[in-house]
Amino acid sequence: MRKVPAAARAAAGGGMIFGAAYWTAFRPRSQVFGAFPYRAPTRDKVVALTFDDGPNEPYTSRLLDVLDQRGVKATFFQVGRCAERFPSCTRRVVESGHVLGTHSYSHSFTSYVRQPRQRREIRRTQEILHGIAGVTPGLYRPPWLCHWPWVLDAVDERGLQVVSGTFAHPLEVLQPPARVLTTGAARVARPGAILILHDGREARGGPRAQSVAAVGPLIDRLTADGYTFVTVDRLLGVAPYLP
Ligand SMILES: [Zn+2]
């Protein structure tokens, strides 16, 4: 079990300090509470495309069309509640050779405040994804990249590999034009990067047309730059699924 540093406990309780604590714990590259890989240490021109908050139709199916047309495999961190809504889409992710990861059941901020709820969220989602797609994900990305010590403990207990990444574009949630997203993502891509895009929006879905439209041109641009695409498990050298 990781010990919660006294400083972190104190910070979590208090007003303005909370802002600093939040940034320390949630920023994508924070390693302060333990290993939270956002890239692989390699000089090879490989990147992992990851998509969070799906499935969310019709966007996830369109995205799968784009990836499958180009023969690119990606990693999908799906929300349990969304998988219940679009189970055939979750199945297609696995059947097409992409990797399915876990991204909580409800994508609810309050589930991070206490560990028991966090444990239930992970267990429930794993059961749902296994029931739908026949696999038990070995990769977990916490919503908002929250990696409080008790979150990492809950992830460890389930034998999961926690995964961070680099946001493809800071304003993706607002759906700027696809070419803006493509340019932003190409700019942050580098050897070993794990790029974060969204085919859904938390557990409630929402428009993702610009994100989906950005992906084909992004793949084409990075391919022209000499990049190839791998799933996160291969990038990190871990198993995609639990036995
Ligand atoms: Zn998310």
Side-chain angles (χ1 to χ4, degrees), residues 52-54 77 79 103-104 107 141-145 196 198 200-203:
D52 291 4
D53 297 6
F77 290 96
V79 174
H103 192 52
S104 86
H107 211 293
R141 174 175 283 155
W144 304 288
L145 305 182
I196 303 174
H198 292 79
R201 184 170 184 183
E202 301 175 10

Short mmCIF file of all heavy atoms in Angstrom, two decimals, residues 52-54 77 79 103-104 107 141-145 196 198 200-203, ligand 1:
data_model
loop_
_atom_site.label_atom_id
_atom_site.label_comp_id
_atom_site.label_asym_id
_atom_site.label_seq_id
_atom_site.Cartn_x
_atom_site.Cartn_y
_atom_site.Cartn_z
N ASP A 52 -10.39 8.27 -25.50
CA ASP A 52 -11.06 8.15 -24.21
C ASP A 52 -12.55 8.46 -24.31
O ASP A 52 -12.99 9.17 -25.22
CB ASP A 52 -10.45 9.15 -23.21
CG ASP A 52 -9.03 8.79 -22.80
OD1 ASP A 52 -8.47 7.83 -23.34
OD2 ASP A 52 -8.48 9.51 -21.94
N ASP A 53 -13.29 7.96 -23.32
CA ASP A 53 -14.69 8.34 -23.05
C ASP A 53 -15.71 7.70 -23.99
O ASP A 53 -16.88 8.05 -23.94
CB ASP A 53 -14.90 9.86 -23.07
CG ASP A 53 -14.12 10.59 -21.98
OD1 ASP A 53 -13.33 9.92 -21.27
OD2 ASP A 53 -14.29 11.80 -21.84
N GLY A 54 -15.29 6.78 -24.86
CA GLY A 54 -16.27 6.11 -25.70
C GLY A 54 -16.77 4.85 -25.01
O GLY A 54 -16.43 4.61 -23.84
N PHE A 77 -9.81 3.69 -24.27
CA PHE A 77 -10.12 3.64 -22.84
C PHE A 77 -11.61 3.98 -22.68
O PHE A 77 -12.01 5.14 -22.77
CB PHE A 77 -9.24 4.62 -22.06
CG PHE A 77 -7.80 4.18 -22.01
CD1 PHE A 77 -6.87 4.67 -22.90
CD2 PHE A 77 -7.39 3.24 -21.06
CE1 PHE A 77 -5.55 4.25 -22.87
CE2 PHE A 77 -6.07 2.80 -21.03
CZ PHE A 77 -5.15 3.32 -21.94
N VAL A 79 -15.58 3.90 -21.11
CA VAL A 79 -16.36 4.11 -19.88
C VAL A 79 -17.43 3.02 -19.80
O VAL A 79 -18.14 2.77 -20.79
CB VAL A 79 -17.01 5.51 -19.93
CG1 VAL A 79 -17.93 5.73 -18.74
CG2 VAL A 79 -15.93 6.60 -19.97
N HIS A 103 -11.75 2.86 -18.30
CA HIS A 103 -11.72 4.30 -18.00
C HIS A 103 -12.86 4.66 -17.03
O HIS A 103 -13.55 5.65 -17.23
CB HIS A 103 -11.84 5.08 -19.31
CG HIS A 103 -11.55 6.55 -19.23
ND1 HIS A 103 -10.41 7.06 -18.67
CD2 HIS A 103 -12.26 7.62 -19.65
CE1 HIS A 103 -10.42 8.39 -18.77
NE2 HIS A 103 -11.54 8.75 -19.34
N SER A 104 -13.08 3.80 -16.03
CA SER A 104 -14.10 3.96 -14.98
C SER A 104 -15.49 3.60 -15.47
O SER A 104 -15.71 3.43 -16.67
CB SER A 104 -14.13 5.37 -14.40
OG SER A 104 -14.96 6.25 -15.16
N HIS A 107 -17.35 7.88 -14.86
CA HIS A 107 -16.57 9.10 -15.16
C HIS A 107 -17.00 10.23 -14.24
O HIS A 107 -17.11 11.40 -14.64
CB HIS A 107 -16.74 9.51 -16.62
CG HIS A 107 -15.53 10.21 -17.20
ND1 HIS A 107 -15.11 11.44 -16.77
CD2 HIS A 107 -14.65 9.83 -18.16
CE1 HIS A 107 -14.04 11.80 -17.47
NE2 HIS A 107 -13.72 10.84 -18.30
N ARG A 141 -6.87 3.92 -17.51
CA ARG A 141 -6.58 5.36 -17.48
C ARG A 141 -7.66 6.02 -16.62
O ARG A 141 -8.83 6.00 -16.96
CB ARG A 141 -6.59 5.96 -18.88
CG ARG A 141 -6.43 7.49 -18.86
CD ARG A 141 -6.33 8.07 -20.26
NE ARG A 141 -5.01 7.85 -20.83
CZ ARG A 141 -4.76 7.80 -22.14
NH1 ARG A 141 -5.74 7.94 -23.00
NH2 ARG A 141 -3.53 7.63 -22.57
N PRO A 142 -7.26 6.63 -15.51
CA PRO A 142 -8.27 7.28 -14.67
C PRO A 142 -8.80 8.54 -15.34
O PRO A 142 -8.04 9.28 -15.97
CB PRO A 142 -7.49 7.63 -13.39
CG PRO A 142 -6.06 7.63 -13.78
CD PRO A 142 -5.90 6.73 -14.97
N PRO A 143 -10.13 8.80 -15.23
CA PRO A 143 -10.67 10.05 -15.75
C PRO A 143 -9.91 11.24 -15.19
O PRO A 143 -9.50 11.24 -14.04
CB PRO A 143 -12.11 10.03 -15.25
CG PRO A 143 -12.46 8.58 -15.20
CD PRO A 143 -11.19 7.91 -14.72
N TRP A 144 -9.73 12.25 -16.02
CA TRP A 144 -8.95 13.46 -15.71
C TRP A 144 -7.52 13.14 -15.28
O TRP A 144 -6.86 13.95 -14.66
CB TRP A 144 -9.65 14.31 -14.63
CG TRP A 144 -11.04 14.67 -15.00
CD1 TRP A 144 -11.44 15.57 -15.96
CD2 TRP A 144 -12.24 14.15 -14.45
NE1 TRP A 144 -12.81 15.59 -16.04
CE2 TRP A 144 -13.32 14.75 -15.12
CE3 TRP A 144 -12.50 13.20 -13.45
CZ2 TRP A 144 -14.64 14.45 -14.84
CZ3 TRP A 144 -13.82 12.91 -13.16
CH2 TRP A 144 -14.87 13.52 -13.84
N LEU A 145 -7.09 11.94 -15.62
CA LEU A 145 -5.74 11.50 -15.24
C LEU A 145 -5.51 11.63 -13.74
O LEU A 145 -4.38 11.85 -13.28
CB LEU A 145 -4.67 12.29 -16.01
CG LEU A 145 -4.79 12.25 -17.53
CD1 LEU A 145 -3.64 13.03 -18.17
CD2 LEU A 145 -4.82 10.83 -18.06
N ILE A 196 -3.45 11.51 -26.44
CA ILE A 196 -4.83 11.37 -25.93
C ILE A 196 -5.78 12.18 -26.80
O ILE A 196 -5.64 13.39 -26.94
CB ILE A 196 -4.93 11.89 -24.48
CG1 ILE A 196 -3.95 11.16 -23.56
CG2 ILE A 196 -6.37 11.75 -23.97
CD1 ILE A 196 -3.90 11.74 -22.14
N HIS A 198 -10.30 12.10 -27.83
CA HIS A 198 -11.58 11.68 -27.25
C HIS A 198 -12.60 11.35 -28.33
O HIS A 198 -12.87 12.19 -29.19
CB HIS A 198 -12.15 12.78 -26.34
CG HIS A 198 -11.34 13.01 -25.10
ND1 HIS A 198 -10.17 13.74 -25.11
CD2 HIS A 198 -11.53 12.60 -23.83
CE1 HIS A 198 -9.68 13.76 -23.87
NE2 HIS A 198 -10.48 13.07 -23.08
N GLY A 200 -15.55 10.30 -27.10
CA GLY A 200 -16.75 10.56 -26.31
C GLY A 200 -16.53 11.75 -25.40
O GLY A 200 -15.49 12.41 -25.48
N ARG A 201 -17.51 12.01 -24.55
CA ARG A 201 -17.36 13.08 -23.58
C ARG A 201 -17.87 12.60 -22.24
O ARG A 201 -19.07 12.51 -22.02
CB ARG A 201 -18.13 14.33 -24.02
CG ARG A 201 -17.89 15.48 -23.08
CD ARG A 201 -18.44 16.77 -23.62
NE ARG A 201 -18.10 17.86 -22.71
CZ ARG A 201 -18.49 19.11 -22.88
NH1 ARG A 201 -19.24 19.42 -23.92
NH2 ARG A 201 -18.15 20.04 -22.02
N GLU A 202 -16.92 12.27 -21.36
CA GLU A 202 -17.22 11.70 -20.06
C GLU A 202 -18.22 10.56 -20.26
O GLU A 202 -18.09 9.81 -21.22
CB GLU A 202 -17.69 12.80 -19.11
CG GLU A 202 -16.59 13.86 -18.97
CD GLU A 202 -16.97 15.07 -18.15
OE1 GLU A 202 -18.02 15.06 -17.50
OE2 GLU A 202 -16.18 16.02 -18.15
N ALA A 203 -19.24 10.43 -19.37
CA ALA A 203 -20.16 9.29 -19.54
C ALA A 203 -21.38 9.68 -20.36
O ALA A 203 -22.22 8.84 -20.64
CB ALA A 203 -20.59 8.76 -18.18
ZN ZN B 1 -12.21 10.68 -19.71
#
